[in-house]
Amino acid sequence: MSDEENRRSEHLSPQATPAEGPLEVTLRPQRLEEFVGQQRLKDNLRVYITAARQRAGALDHVLLAGPPGLGKTTLAHIMGNELGVEVHTTSGPAVEHRGILAGLLTQLEERAILFIDEIHRLNPAIEEYLYPAMEDLAIDVPTGTGAYSQTLRLPLKPFTLVGATTRSGLLTSPLRDRFGIVERLEHYNADDMVRIVLRSARIFGVPIDHDGALELAKRARGTPRIANRLLRRVRDFAEVEGDGTITNAIAQRALEALDIDSVGLDSLDRALLRSIVEKYDGGPVGVDSLATALHEDRDTLENEIEPFLIKEGFVQRTPRGRVATQRAYLHLGLDKPSGKQGSLF
Ligand code: ADP
C-alpha cells in the first residue's frame, strides 16, 4: 500500500484549523439549554451555577476533561453567560511566564471566569503560582532583584478558573485537587449528533433533510467540530451538484469524495486495520511494529488514530498488542478466520 493511500483526511481532525475559529464562534450555543447532549454534565452544571448565583458568589473552579472538539470551550462561555460574568481566555502554552498569569489574574473583575485551554500544558513553575490564586485568592509577585528581592502578596477578587484538558491523566494531582468541580465530556451519540447537524444547518441557512443529517452525523466520529466541518463541505456539493438541499444521496456522494466512509473512517484508519489483518494475521501486534508499518510515529498512532478505532470496537488493546476485531474484518469485507477467536487474550 502506498503512502498516498493511507493518508489522514484533513476533514477528520478533531482540532480546529485557524480559519475555522470565527466560524465556530457563530455556531457556539450561548446558553446551557441550547447545548446538545451531555445531559448529566448539564444537569450538574445547572445546579452549581444556580447555587453560585443565589449566593452571589463565584462558581467553584471547574475542570472540563475530554477529547478535542466536544464543547469544552463552548461550555466555558456558556457558564459566563449563565452567570452574567465575563470570560477571559488563554491556553497553557500561551502562559509563557508568571507575569502573563499575574496580569490575567489581577485584571479579572469580581466573579469573572478565567478559561485556560490545554491546562495540562502549563509550565510546572507557573502552575505552582496558580495554587495560592485558586485557594487563597492571592498571588505572590516577586519585586526587586538579588539581595533586595521580596515577594509581594497581591489579593485577587473572587474568580472562577475553568480549565480544559484533553489529557486529564497528565494533570498533576495538586492542580487537579484544587478544582471543586470536575466533569468529563463524552463523544456524542447518533441522536445528539443529528440534532447538532440540524442546528448548525439552521444557523448556516442550509436546507437539509433528516436522512442527510443522519448520514453526516454517522460519519462525524461523535465530534461536533467534525460534524460542523463536514456540513460546510457537504453544502458545497449540494449547491454545485444538487439543488442546494443536503439529502442522503448528496451526503453519501460528498463524504465518499472526501474519503470518509460509512462509519467515519478514512484511508489511514482502514490502512491500520488492513495492516493488523493482512500483515500480522489479525494480531496481536505491538504498537511499535504497527507504527512502522504505517510510517507514523507511535505517539500519533496512540493518541490520534487508535482511540476512535478502539472506542468503536474495530481494534482491541490487549496485553500482547493490538488485535483486529470481528467488526474490523466485516468492515474490510473479510471473514474473520475462526481460529483467530481465541487469540484475543
Ligand atoms: P473543545 O473546546 O472541546 O475543543 P469547542 O467548544 O470549541 O470544543 O466546540 C467545537 C465546535 O463544536 C464549536 O463550534 C461548538 O459550537 C460545537 N459544539 C460543541 N459541543 C456542542 C454541543 N453540545 N451542541 C452544539 N454544538 C456544539
Side-chain angles (χ1 to χ4, degrees), residues 205-217:
V206 189
I208 185 166
D209 66 24
H210 184 272
D211 287 350
L214 184 63
E215 197 56 43
L216 244 159

Side-chain angles (χ1 to χ4, degrees), residues 79-335:
M79 285 185 243
N81 293 341
E82 297 285 345
L83 289 161
V85 301
E86 282 198 23
V87 179
H88 301 253
T89 67
T90 186
S91 73
V95 184
E96 286 169 347
H97 54 83
R98 287 171 166 207
I100 295 182
L101 188 62
L104 285 166
L105 288 167
T106 50
Q107 279 169 31
L108 294 176
E109 312 80 37
E110 180 132 357
R111 300 188 298 119
I113 289 177
L114 176 62
F115 174 64
I116 306 186
D117 200 7
E118 295 190 86
I119 195 164
H120 59 275
R121 292 179 63 193
L122 261 186
N123 171 324
I126 299 172
E127 181 185 310
E128 273 180 35
Y129 198 55
L130 205 52
Y131 302 161
M134 292 172 80
E135 226 163 38
D136 310 323
L137 295 179
I139 47 166
D140 297 316
V141 184
T143 59
T145 49
Y148 301 101
S149 76
Q150 283 184 326
T151 55
L152 185 67
R153 186 152 259 228
L154 285 183
L156 300 172
K157 301 192 185 96
F159 74 103
T160 301
L161 178 67
V162 179
T165 179
T166 48
R167 314 276 302 274
S168 59
L170 294 185
L171 227 60
T172 64
S173 41
L175 181 58
R176 192 183 346 211
D177 293 348
R178 284 173 170 82
F179 286 98
I181 301 168
V182 178
E183 294 286 343
R184 203 181 155 76
L185 283 89
E186 304 295 343
H187 282 99
Y188 292 76
N189 62 33
D191 282 352
D192 288 340
M193 290 297 289
V194 168
R195 287 166 62 204
I196 290 170
V197 169
L198 291 174
R199 175 182 177 278
S200 299
R202 200 171 54 241
I203 295 172
F204 282 148
V206 189
I208 185 166
D209 66 24
H210 184 272
D211 287 350
L214 184 63
E215 197 56 43
L216 244 159
K218 278 196 315 195
R219 302 190 191 208
R221 303 166 82 105
T223 306
R225 171 171 293 134
I226 297 179
N228 289 340
R229 184 185 299 139
L230 297 183
L231 177 66
R232 291 197 300 275
R233 292 289 67 82
V234 174
R235 171 178 61 177
D236 295 340
F237 280 82
E239 284 170 0
V240 174
E241 296 188 1
D243 66 0
T245 301
I246 299 178
T247 59
N248 186 278
I250 287 279
Q252 283 199 33
R253 148 95 188 93
L255 291 161
E256 264 149 41
L258 300 175
D259 178 35
I260 299 164
D261 73 18
S262 59
V263 290
L265 305 193
D266 63 11
S267 41
L268 183 57
D269 297 311
R270 288 189 301 273
L272 183 140
L273 299 183
R274 262 201 317 274
S275 193
I276 305 181
V277 166
E278 290 170 3
K279 288 197 180 150
Y280 298 98
D281 198 20
V285 47
V287 68
D288 287 316
S289 310
L290 257 186
T292 310
L294 291 170
H295 310 291
E296 291 288 342
D297 62 54
R298 182 189 172 129
D299 214 44
T300 311
L301 190 106
E302 282 193 300
N303 294 318
E304 291 177 27
I305 310 175
E306 254 189 4
F308 182 70
L309 296 171
I310 292 173
K311 183 179 84 69
E312 290 295 309
F314 289 103
V315 172
Q316 271 187 325
R317 200 185 266 150
T318 76
R320 289 193 291 137
R322 279 39 174 182
V323 173
T325 64
Q326 180 80 39
R327 185 165 191 215
Y329 281 81
L330 273 176
H331 192 66
L332 296 175
L334 302 167
D335 281 335

